[in-house]
Every structure is written in structure tokens, then in C-alpha cells.
Amino acid sequence: MFESFTTKIRNAKKIVFVTGAGISQESGIPTFRGKDGLWRNYDAMKLATIDAFYDNPKLVWEWYIERRKNIFCAEPNLGHKAIAELEKFVQVIVLTQNIDGLHQRAGSSEVLELHGSIIKIKCTVCDFRCEILTEFEHIPPLCKCGNILRPDVVWFGESLPQKIWQQAIVHASKCDVLIIAGTSLIVSPANTLPIYAKQNNAILIEINPEETIMSSDMDLSIRSTSVAALSELVSVFK
Ligand code: APR
């Protein structure tokens, strides 16, 4: 799969991954826009906006609790593990849109969560934030200050955590190879990261069983699942 870029990949000092829901699909976590994607079965505007949350915090929380259960019993797959293993050979940074924490569970040491984490919660009013793996006593859960707690994730219409986004731009702008795996590249600003990498003449490689809106801008666009392709990528270094 990587023959035409083997030398460039082997000589890379820094490889940055931009990942999306597709990389966790083989761990049993549905994508958003794929065949059985979440947004095919649920209305994003009723579940993933701040207005939807204030309209019906119980509904939104019940949906996130269902997703937490699914994610907590999922395991990192060979795609996640391959990215972690690459750290033996080259500097690897993971810029993920996923909130499932599977990259970290696979052993990746440098992961930036662009859209937050389903493990984290925060108060809608005070500065309280924390990680919680256990179930909630009350739905919606309340902060010590008496206000509602919300999932610490980025909803439609909300800005990304600025410090993380600025770091992501710097990493993308300074990499030798940018590998885009398992994302439709529909959502911004994450879908601008390939542009920052290209400005630095990085090699752009896409891994996706389906074509995306940016496939023609890639140096290499591989029609494959992330498990198959990323496992082979590791063998490029061995
Ligand atoms: N391996 C690699 N890619 C896959 C696999 C697989 N096994 N299975 C599906 N894909 C691809 C699909 O072809 C699709 O292009 O993964 C992509 C998933 O795209 P989306 O469902 O749009 O997910 P993503 O790009 O991560 O969405 C971005 O949108 O809903 C918001 O905040 C949410 O972070 C999410 C953002």
C-alpha cells in the first residue's frame, strides 16, 4: 500500500495522524455518517448542541451515558495499536476528533483530543472539571455549585479548546508526513489540518475505505480499513 512513499516515510522525523470515528469502527464504535452512523439514527441537533442540552439535559445525558457504556467496554484495535507502536521508530503525534480515549488506551503517548473526551465532565457555570468513569447518581448530574454538569466534549457550533487547537496547528505545520485515517473530513476546523501540513510540504496520506471530499488533494489515498493499512505501515519501518 505504501510502496510509492516508503523512503519518505522511513526518513520522516515526525509523523502526525489526524483520526476520526472510522479508526474506532473496528472496535465496535459506530461512526457518525457511515451506513449505520449515529447521525443516521439520531438527530444531531437534538443531542449535540448547547441549545439541545438546555432544552432537554436528561435526554442528552441518557444518550452520552449509552455511548459511555459502549466505549468503556470497547477495546483498542490493531489500528490504534499500530499508531502506538510507531513511536518506537519516529516521533508520532495523534490529533484525534474521537472522544473515546482508545488511542491513549492503545499506548499512544502524545494525543490531542480536538473534540474533548467522553470521560470528562465540566460545570456549565463554574470552573469545575473532572474525569469520571463511574455511573452518575442523578441524571442530569449536578455540580457542587448546584448547576448542571455537561459532557466535556465539543458540540456543533462550539469552538475547539483553543490551546489544544493551536498546538494541533503547530504539529500539523511541522510534520514530514500527515496520515489522515478514518475521517470524512467534513467537520471543520479539523479538516483544515491537511492544508497546514501541505504548506510545509508534508506528504499527505489518507486511509479510508471510501473516498472523501479531500481524496484528490492527497499524495496517496488508500482505500482500506485502518486496521489493515496501519498494520502494514508499521512493517514499512521493520
Ligand atoms: N477504517 C478507516 N476508515 C473507516 C472505517 C475503517 N474501518 N470505517 C469507516 N471509515 C471511514 C468512513 O468511510 C468515513 O469517511 O471513517 C469516516 C468516518 O466519518 P464520520 O462518520 O463523518 O466521522 P468523523 O469524520 O470522525 O466526524 C467528525 O463530526 O459528528 C462530529 O464531533 C463529531 O468528531 C466527529 C466529527
Side-chain angles (χ1 to χ4, degrees), residues 20-22 25-26 31-34 39 97 115 156 182-185 187 207-210 224-226:
Q25 185 267 337
E26 292 160 284
T31 66
F32 293 94
R33 297 169 187 82
W39 299 149
Q97 298 167 87
H115 296 165
F156 291 103
T183 177
S184 59
L185 289 169
V187 168
I207 296 169
N208 195 315
E210 292 173 22
S224 167
T225 66
S226 42

Side-chain angles (χ1 to χ4, degrees), residues 1-118:
M1 297 182 199
F2 299 93
E3 293 74 20
S4 45
F5 288 95
T6 299
T7 311
K8 289 237 165 95
I9 292 169
R10 276 209 193 112
N11 295 340
K13 293 200 179 30
K14 180 173 183 169
I15 296 182
V16 170
F17 286 86
V18 174
T19 68
I23 201 167
S24 295
Q25 185 267 337
E26 292 160 284
S27 293
I29 300 174
T31 66
F32 293 94
R33 297 169 187 82
K35 188 161 56 49
D36 306 319
L38 290 172
W39 299 149
R40 304 259 175 163
N41 305 314
Y42 298 95
D43 179 350
M45 292 307 119
K46 287 215 174 51
L47 293 165
T49 67
I50 190 68
D51 295 342
F53 181 71
Y54 284 125
D55 285 354
N56 192 340
K58 189 166 179 298
L59 175 72
V60 172
W61 263 114
E62 281 164 354
W63 188 59
Y64 274 90
I65 286 163
E66 191 190 320
R67 292 181 64 192
R68 282 167 59 94
K69 283 191 188 127
N70 186 20
I71 285 170
F72 293 166
C73 57
E75 290 299 327
N77 59 51
L78 292 177
H80 298 107
K81 293 176 181 167
I83 293 177
E85 189 181 356
L86 283 173
E87 292 186 14
K88 291 184 199 151
F89 309 104
V90 60
Q91 183 192 7
V92 172
I93 308 286
V94 179
L95 310 176
T96 188
Q97 298 167 87
N98 299 344
I99 62 174
D100 57 32
L102 290 181
H103 283 297
Q104 295 94 323
R105 285 172 54 194
S108 283
S109 60
E110 297 223 48
V111 180
L112 294 182
E113 295 175 308
L114 305 176
H115 296 165
S117 166
I118 204 163

